[in-house]
Every structure is written in structure tokens, then in C-alpha cells.
Amino acid sequence: MPKPANMDEYIANAADFARPVLKKLRGLYHKACPEIEESLKWGMPCFSCRGIVGSMAAFKEYVGIGFWKGALLDDPTGLFKGVGATQMSALKFRTVKDLPADKVLVDMIKQAVALNKAGIKAPAARAKPEVKPPKDLLAALNRNKTAKATFEGFSPSHRREYVQWITEAKQQATREKRLAQAIEWMTEGKPRNWKYMKKK
């Protein structure tokens, strides 16, 4: 299916359940800020006024609305959740009935517009906390000085990738296999996703 050229096409191409929700959200953005501008960025509808205010998107099972500076907005419902380490906040739902009251969303959109008009920047992205290696990984690293030196020399994100890969294994046999592979790769100085990294 070709990419939509504008917001009307995006909504028309959305699933049946999503179209009424997208139309509703679009209307609320314009109600809150008559001068709001529409565009498609990163494949989804975005709304801007002196910078991006927020977005909406239709997925297979739900529709989402997000605010670029969501961490700075007053959310009386407490329903919006942070998005990773960014300052964005988002909410997922399936029907118009699942949405917060119109006045709540209109107020949040107005808050977001006001932040842009005041020139207030979003705070720097929150750093992800350092992960603590599990005991079996620590024990294996202590038995292999080369792998341990590699692990300790990695950036926090590379250490996190190995820890998550090992701890997310659902079976003990899988975990042990991943642990052995991790030690082998780290002995060779390789990060977890070395296969996908560009060769210098």
C-alpha cells in the first residue's frame, strides 16, 4: 500500500475501528489550537505550533496519542505514560469511549502549545539506569578475565544489551546457552549486536 500523502489519506487508510478515533483526536487538536498545523512525520500524523505539539497514530490493535513534551504537562487523569527515556508521554486506546473527557485532552493540547509559544525546551532525555548483572553472568565473567575486561569496558548500553538478552531467556537451557555465547563473544571483544554493526 502506498504511503499516504496527507492526513486525510492516513485516516481513510486506517482500520475501521481507528478512523472515528483519529477524526476525534484531529478535531480536538484544532479545537484547542485553531492555528495548529498538520503534517505526516515518521509515518504518522503530527500537529505543530511553533514546534511539534503532539501526534496520533493507528496501529493494528489500538490508536495512540502522544505529546512531545508530555513530562511537562499536567495530566489530571494520570493515564499518560512516559515513552522510554524521552520526555514524551502517550496513551493507547481502541474506541472514542476509551478517551479521556474532551476538556482534559483540549487542556493538555493547550498546555503543550503554550510551552512551545513560551520557547520552553523539553528536558534532556532521562538516562537509563545502569543494569546490575545477574549472579550467573558475574560468576562467568570472574572466570574469564578477558571477557570481564571487555564487559567492564563497554558503554552502559552495551552492558544492558547483554544483561537483558541473558535474563529474558524463558528456559534455563536457553539462558545457559546465551550465557556461554555471551562470554565467547566478549572474549573476542564483541558487543551483543556485533553482527548488525557496520564494519569500519
Side-chain angles (χ1 to χ4, degrees):
M1 183 179 293
K3 291 183 179 180
N6 53 49
M7 191 131 356
D8 288 325
E9 285 189 13
Y10 182 95
I11 294 173
N13 292 341
D16 291 344
F17 82 89
R19 284 196 293 273
V21 184
L22 293 170
K23 290 177 182 177
K24 174 75 172 181
L25 292 175
R26 185 186 197 181
L28 291 176
Y29 271 108
H30 285 277
K31 180 178 180 180
C33 179
E35 71 254 49
I36 204 101
E37 297 177 356
E38 300 180 349
S39 62
L40 294 180
K41 297 180 183 293
W42 309 288
M44 64 182 174
C46 290
F47 299 86
S48 303
C49 181
R50 301 193 190 179
I52 296 178
V53 173
S55 61
M56 64 182 189
F59 298 92
K60 188 174 181 179
E61 300 292 336
Y62 65 88
V63 174
I65 179 175
F67 291 107
W68 243 239
K69 300 174 184 175
L72 301 179
L73 303 182
D74 176 30
D75 170 21
T77 67
L79 295 174
F80 282 81
K81 306 299 181 187
V83 180
T86 72
Q87 293 301 316
M88 289 182 63
S89 65
L91 177 62
K92 301 175 183 178
F93 39 85
R94 187 172 173 84
T95 70
V96 171
K97 292 181 180 179
D98 298 330
L99 286 166
D102 288 3
K103 64 180 182 179
V104 171
L105 288 176
V106 166
D107 179 65
M108 292 183 72
I109 295 167
K110 286 182 176 179
Q111 289 181 56
V113 169
L115 289 173
N116 284 359
K117 288 184 174 181
I120 297 174
K121 303 292 184 183
R126 299 182 295 269
K128 292 184 178 179
E130 179 69 56
V131 294
K132 186 176 181 180
K135 291 181 179 179
D136 52 352
L137 174 56
L138 285 174
L141 289 171
N142 286 331
R143 292 192 296 269
N144 187 314
K145 292 182 179 180
T146 303
K148 183 176 182 179
T150 299
F151 183 81
E152 291 177 346
F154 276 152
S155 65
S157 62
H158 281 339
R159 290 195 291 270
R160 188 180 302 111
E161 287 169 357
Y162 267 120
V163 170
Q164 289 179 342
W165 185 51
I166 293 167
T167 58
E168 288 172 358
K170 292 183 171 50
Q171 302 291 331
Q172 183 61 30
T174 303
R175 182 174 179 130
E176 291 173 0
K177 184 177 180 180
R178 289 183 180 181
L179 181 58
Q181 182 66 81
I183 295 300
E184 179 182 330
W185 282 342
M186 283 188 277
T187 301
E188 298 170 358
K190 296 175 178 177
R192 158 77 179 95
N193 294 310
W194 63 274
K195 293 180 181 178
Y196 308 105
M197 298 173 72
K198 291 183 179 179
K199 293 182 179 179
K200 296 181 179 181

